[in-house]
Amino acid sequence: MSIGFEAHNHDACVATGVAQAQAYCAKEGLKMTPTRQRVLEILLRHHRAFGAYDILEELRNDGLGSQPPVVYRALDFLIKHGFAHKLERLNAFVACSHPGQDHAPAFLICNDCGSVAETQTSPEKSQLREAARKAGFTVEATVLEADGTCPLCTTDGSPA
């Protein structure tokens, strides 16, 4: 399960996520630019979906860029290398909770506070995969997004 709805040390979360990305880039001979790193830090710190223009505003405040292509190039890099995901319905981005792992994420999105938790699914065992197989269709990618209310936004603070 993800830490998306759990209390935790955000500084440690950011430090761990950035360290994992830097280690991956060093191993693969990739460059973790200051802008890429800052975009990852922004996504890791908040555990909610960020639109590209929200990220751009933070980069602008940090003096790291003021044009949309700057953000989109950084996001493309982070997504390609498994450090971020795009939430299709929201047209927004979140940090990956399982970087470096081959996984099939599902996203739990709180309608009240906007928090996003990433959890694992088993697409090879899913009804969708079985229906596709029977239809002769090969699933290449799925994005599972569920809207609801997180434990912190429920009236008693416990999971629904």
Side-chain angles (χ1 to χ4, degrees):
M1 187 65 177
S2 168
I3 58 171
F5 298 136
E6 297 172 8
H8 66 282
N9 181 327
H10 286 296
D11 291 335
C13 182
V14 171
T16 299
V18 169
Q20 288 174 328
Q22 289 172 334
Y24 174 87
C25 288
K27 183 179 122 202
E28 298 296 322
L30 302 169
K31 185 171 172 108
M32 178 56 80
T33 65
T35 301
R36 291 171 178 171
Q37 180 172 322
R38 183 63 184 125
V39 170
L40 181 58
E41 290 169 352
I42 291 166
L43 295 176
L44 286 165
R45 177 153 308 279
H46 298 285
H47 296 291
R48 69 174 181 84
F50 264 83
Y53 284 90
D54 297 325
I55 296 168
L56 182 62
E57 185 63 33
E58 291 210 26
L59 291 180
R60 188 177 291 130
N61 293 339
D62 294 344
L64 290 173
S66 61
Q67 299 299 315
V70 170
V71 173
Y72 286 110
R73 282 193 299 266
L75 288 166
D76 287 345
F77 175 87
L78 295 172
I79 291 167
K80 178 180 179 182
H81 297 289
F83 296 105
H85 297 289
K86 182 175 183 184
L87 298 175
E88 299 295 334
R89 187 184 62 75
L90 299 176
N91 193 27
F93 305 88
V94 294
C96 180
S97 297
H98 309 284
Q101 298 177 18
D102 184 22
H103 65 290
F107 302 98
L108 309 174
I109 305 165
C110 182
N111 290 323
D112 294 335
C113 69
S115 293
V116 177
E118 178 181 337
T119 189
Q120 301 278 9
T121 63
S122 297
E124 64 281 348
K125 297 177 184 175
S126 74
Q127 290 178 338
L128 174 61
R129 180 81 53 173
E130 182 58 23
R133 186 191 64 72
K134 287 180 181 175
F137 183 83
T138 302
V139 175
E140 295 175 2
T142 58
V143 177
L144 181 58
E145 300 173 12
D147 296 327
T149 306
C150 77
L152 299 175
C153 291
T154 58
T155 50
D156 64 0
S158 63

